[in-house]
Amino acid sequence: MKRTTLSLFAGAAALAAVTGFAAVSAPGDTGAETAEPAARLPVERTSLLCPAPSASDLAETTYTSFTPVTEGAEEKGTATLTAAADGAGAEAGKGGEDAESGKDGEESKDGKDGKPVLRPGAPGTPVTGTASGADAPALTGTAEGSHAPGWTVQQTTEVAAGTGRGLLGLNCTAPDTEFWFPGASTASGRTDYVHLTNPDDSAAVVDIELYGKDGVLKSTVGEGVTVPPGGGESLLLSTLTDVEQTDVTVHVNVRSGRLGAAVQALDDKTGGDWLTAAADPAGELVVPGIPADATSVRLMLFTPGGSDADLKVRLASPSGAITPAGHETVHVKAGMTTGVDLGEVTRGEAGSLVLTPTSGSVPVVAAVRVVRGKGGEQESAFIPASDPVGARATAAENRAKGTTLSVTAPDRTAKVEVTASAGTEGGTTATKTFTIEGGTTQNVEVPVPAGLKGTYALTVETVSGGPVYAARTLTGEDEDVASFTVQPLPDDRGTVSVPKAEQNLSVLQQPPA
């Protein structure tokens, strides 16, 4: 996360100042050497949090764990997922040699009986587990050593009927201290919950703020919410305010501790999905991977600062940038949520929304609600504005059929490499390279492992050119129903930048200037 990276650099700078461990010359030296660029090294520890998947007795949930092979990573490692019901629940995964050989006994079906839901395996091979019904708990997880760089867990739930029926999916998220969710709702027909998961052994305290079309929705219920150690909480948004609003932005601000947060948005008519946190407020945003057959796209925006924002709206299509008719620009009032219906904006082609300031840059958060299908077969999903792929992004649980990978280069042409892992039950890796022209979005032909059995993972790596954004769409196995879910693919945080340093204690011996 951004704050973690900043803390790392601050610590490195402080160490250099105190001990002289830095690849720079002392004051007064001549012929000073230029500091070498920072190296990118594999992370050694990764934390992930998965919310409780569903309150429906008809829910069937699949978890898929995957760590990509990372050059320079440690040879050994472990990964664990623990039920968050009481902070010391059943193991939902076990790493290391036992995990890789699969000798830990029978797998659990729900994570509540002391047996693992899944056993994260060796890097390069995905592993799946399942849970059924309404009582599957939230999960907290930690990966170390070889299992840590880019560790990804996909949680996908199928609900056959009822409010929120359809396909609900998300990438389990890293803990943090602040989250923005444009796209929530307290309107009649919507049942939205904010899920909070605490990975630590001390309680976390959080404030939940709601913003509608006229500004903040007053509520004292969302102030000072306590999430117990190792526990999970879910709060119905309509209990935090008595105001019905079509478009609501949820702000989760952690006073003490850290949390994972996600909003489960359930609709009486158009199914439901998870709304994950939007990228941090920024002046320019990209919402990647809007399905080509979207029948309705609604854009929701919010600016947390004290200034209004005016944004130019463009659709990056396969043929280039298009300005949606009637929606060339959008005005976002400070502290108020703005919703804009874009209709069938993609018109049968792959597309991503690119939002840029018309004049002065004002930080904004954004997400879209996408609907596919017609009449009683409609299904909805949410796509928040995303960070770029960066060095590498990872998507677990892909299928031979029903997987679409959308890649966007909003500015300059870029080249990406897409790798399919081995399958959960067999198959060998496959790799393809694609060139994405600047200003376009392409649904690329994803590689499929030879001899695939089960599901597989995809990694997307930026090879050259400008920044790229990506999203993966999963569709349900029933071709008569429009069930789907979309996950943006930001950098998987598999590596971290570490400045080049060497011992130079002569810095401490220099006389004062």
Side-chain angles (χ1 to χ4, degrees), residues 480-502:
D480 295 330
V481 180
S483 61
F484 74 114
T485 182
V486 182
Q487 279 75 58
L489 303 181
D491 193 300
D492 64 17
R493 309 178 307 279
T495 59
V496 64
S497 183
V498 179
K500 176 71 175 178
E502 63 182 23

Side-chain angles (χ1 to χ4, degrees), residues 9-24 501-502 504-505 507-509:
F9 280 110
L15 183 63
V18 173
T19 67
F21 279 76
V24 295
E502 63 182 23
N504 184 7
L505 296 180
V507 173
L508 302 179
Q509 300 173 0

Side-chain angles (χ1 to χ4, degrees), residues 169-188:
L170 84 164
N171 279 329
C172 299
T173 58
D176 208 338
T177 57
E178 186 176 37
F179 306 85
W180 292 97
F181 300 97
S185 179
T186 58
S188 176

Side-chain angles (χ1 to χ4, degrees), residues 171-217:
N171 279 329
C172 299
T173 58
D176 208 338
T177 57
E178 186 176 37
F179 306 85
W180 292 97
F181 300 97
S185 179
T186 58
S188 176
R190 278 279 290 272
T191 307
D192 288 15
Y193 295 85
V194 58
H195 287 248
L196 307 172
T197 309
N198 182 1
D200 298 324
D201 56 6
S202 58
V205 180
V206 59
D207 293 331
I208 302 172
E209 301 163 335
L210 307 180
Y211 298 88
K213 61 183 179 63
D214 299 316
V216 64
L217 304 180

Side-chain angles (χ1 to χ4, degrees), residues 181 192-196 208 233-237 240 250 252 261-264:
F181 300 97
D192 288 15
Y193 295 85
V194 58
H195 287 248
L196 307 172
I208 302 172
E233 295 283 351
S234 62
L235 294 90
L236 181 62
L237 293 190
L240 303 182
V250 180
V252 175
V263 171
Q264 191 174 47

Side-chain angles (χ1 to χ4, degrees), residues 393-470:
T394 302
E397 193 186 347
N398 299 281
R399 305 163 183 173
K401 294 183 179 180
T403 296
T404 302
L405 178 63
S406 180
V407 184
T408 302
D411 300 312
R412 294 182 290 124
T413 296
K415 182 179 291 187
V416 297
E417 184 177 270
V418 181
T419 301
S421 74
T424 53
E425 301 172 23
T428 56
T429 61
T431 299
K432 289 184 178 180
T433 300
F434 303 93
T435 298
I436 313 299
E437 297 294 332
T440 72
T441 296
Q442 307 291 335
N443 283 351
V444 302
E445 184 180 354
V446 296
V448 176
L452 172 65
K453 293 183 180 179
T455 61
Y456 64 99
L458 283 172
T459 57
V460 182
E461 298 178 81
T462 305
V463 177
S464 62
V468 294
Y469 297 75

Side-chain angles (χ1 to χ4, degrees), residues 35-48:
E36 295 184 26
R40 295 199 66 84
L41 300 179
V43 299
E44 298 178 355
R45 182 183 175 90
T46 298
S47 296
L48 293 177

Side-chain angles (χ1 to χ4, degrees), residues 23-26 28-35:
V24 295
S25 297
D29 280 359
T30 59
E33 295 182 4
T34 303

